[in-house]
Amino acid sequence: MYNHRSPDLPPIVRHLDPDHPKTMSQEESTVHENIAEESKTTDDARNAIADAILRRAEAPTVDEDEERRFARERETRLEFRRLVDPGIARGNTPARFEETLKVLSKIADNLLSDIGNEKYRRFKPTNNLIKKHLVEVKGALEYAVALGFRAEVEHFQPYYTFLDTPKNRDNLRIGASVLTETLERIIQKAEHEKLNRVDPKAVQREIAQKVKMAYEDDRKEKKRRDDIERQAREARARVTASTPIKKGNKTTETDDTSVAASPSPDVGNTSVQEEHKEEVQDE
């Protein structure tokens, strides 16, 4: 009878036999370890790929990041716009308002281009240009303070110095962009008004100038045509004077004397008619 507990059974049979002790050879153990290691490596690779896909899906794009930053800075942007209008615009002429914005924009842009340059990090309120367009203009210095400048005294001289902090750098960037967009609107508005504005006197002058130019063009054209016709007549006269006329076997040159001496056909006909009348009367 077949004894399934026989120790002579192959290893695979002994392994599948539930009653046989589950022992593995060294070779089988190595194979199982290799399979487990490969499985673990595959799982780790899959997990890494899954994590990378998840991070990429959750990471904002450039446009999304810009939109989020714009939304986060919305209140700061609105505050700068209020400092411009009505802050600086109120109580100042449009020309002075525009010049003040240009000076503030120049200060902000220079500092943004080279924020470590000490020359751009401060300005003196006693400077004639600064005094005229910032100190004497209501709301202008308040805007400079919002950009990050602070008043200080050094060697008994007043200065406005930029306080370099992350927040002030953001304020400087936002404030500079608000100045730029406001100046662009002012320029576009001025160009639009210039196109729509009509000066009656200027229009009349332009019409008169066009009429004068047209009249002069007509005179020049008429003179040109007259010269062409005159030259054509002279050419025809020269050709006629030099053309020979054949008469019988003789060839003669036509001139004014021969033409004048030749009898007219009408004269001959008149004499024949008079002779015919006399013959009728004698009869």
Side-chain angles (χ1 to χ4, degrees):
M1 185 175 178
Y2 179 75
N3 186 6
H4 66 276
R5 291 187 176 87
S6 173
D8 297 332
L9 290 175
I12 187 64
V13 175
R14 293 200 307 271
H15 177 66
L16 294 176
D17 188 356
D19 297 330
H20 193 280
K22 296 182 179 180
T23 60
M24 293 186 189
S25 65
Q26 184 67 27
E27 183 179 356
E28 291 175 338
S29 177
T30 304
V31 170
H32 280 276
E33 289 177 359
N34 292 339
I35 293 174
E37 186 68 24
E38 291 177 0
S39 176
K40 182 180 179 181
T41 304
T42 304
D43 292 340
D44 292 342
R46 289 177 180 175
N47 292 334
I49 294 173
D51 292 340
I53 293 173
L54 183 61
R55 287 195 301 269
R56 182 178 298 177
E58 293 178 350
T61 62
V62 176
D63 294 338
E64 291 176 350
D65 187 60
E66 185 69 22
E67 291 177 359
R68 291 177 182 177
R69 188 180 69 176
F70 191 87
R72 186 175 64 252
E73 297 172 350
R74 181 175 179 274
E75 292 299 326
T76 305
R77 192 175 298 275
L78 290 176
E79 181 61 27
F80 274 111
R81 287 173 179 168
R82 284 191 289 267
L83 290 173
V84 170
D85 190 5
I88 303 174
R90 180 183 296 173
N92 293 304
T93 62
R96 195 171 192 184
F97 172 63
E98 183 178 356
E99 289 299 323
T100 298
L101 295 187
K102 287 181 179 179
V103 173
L104 285 170
S105 180
K106 186 69 173 177
I107 292 173
D109 290 342
N110 286 341
L111 188 55
L112 283 173
S113 64
D114 190 3
I115 201 165
N117 193 334
E118 291 294 332
K119 177 182 177 181
Y120 299 145
R121 292 169 65 91
R122 57 164 48 182
F123 62 85
K124 294 179 65 174
T126 55
N127 179 275
N128 292 332
L129 182 66
I130 298 298
K131 183 177 180 180
K132 179 180 180 181
H133 295 295
L134 295 188
V135 177
E136 296 178 356
V137 177
K138 183 179 178 181
L141 282 179
E142 286 81 353
Y143 199 95
V145 171
L147 291 174
F149 288 90
R150 298 293 181 267
E152 64 178 11
V153 177
E154 183 178 333
H155 302 298
F156 304 101
Q157 293 292 329
Y159 291 96
Y160 276 84
T161 305
F162 179 74
L163 184 59
D164 193 1
T165 63
K167 179 176 176 56
N168 284 343
R169 288 198 177 198
D170 289 340
N171 291 341
L172 179 66
R173 175 177 50 80
I174 298 170
S177 66
V178 170
L179 291 171
T180 300
E181 69 183 25
T182 305
L183 286 171
E184 288 178 353
R185 285 200 305 269
I186 292 174
I187 294 173
Q188 292 175 359
K189 182 179 178 182
E191 292 177 352
H192 184 70
E193 290 177 352
K194 184 178 180 180
L195 292 175
N196 293 335
R197 185 170 57 249
V198 178
D199 185 3
K201 293 183 179 180
V203 173
Q204 292 297 329
R205 288 194 298 269
E206 184 177 358
I207 294 174
Q209 182 67 19
K210 289 182 178 180
V211 171
K212 182 179 178 181
M213 292 175 63
Y215 175 71
E216 291 178 354
D217 291 342
D218 290 341
R219 288 184 59 187
K220 292 178 181 178
E221 181 64 19
K222 185 177 183 303
K223 184 177 181 302
R224 187 182 67 84
R225 291 180 179 179
D226 292 343
D227 291 340
I228 292 174
E229 292 179 359
R230 178 177 54 79
Q231 294 173 4
R233 287 195 302 270
E234 292 176 354
R236 287 195 297 270
R238 287 193 299 270
V239 171
T240 303
S242 61
T243 301
I245 298 176
K246 292 183 179 180
K247 187 176 180 182
N249 295 328
K250 297 180 180 180
T251 301
T252 60
E253 296 289 338
T254 59
D255 53 12
D256 296 338
T257 306
S258 62
V259 173
S262 63
S264 175
D266 294 337
V267 175
N269 293 338
T270 303
S271 60
V272 172
Q273 292 175 0
E274 289 178 354
E275 292 177 356
H276 182 68
K277 287 180 181 180
E278 290 177 357
E279 291 177 358
V280 172
Q281 289 176 0
D282 292 340
E283 294 175 357

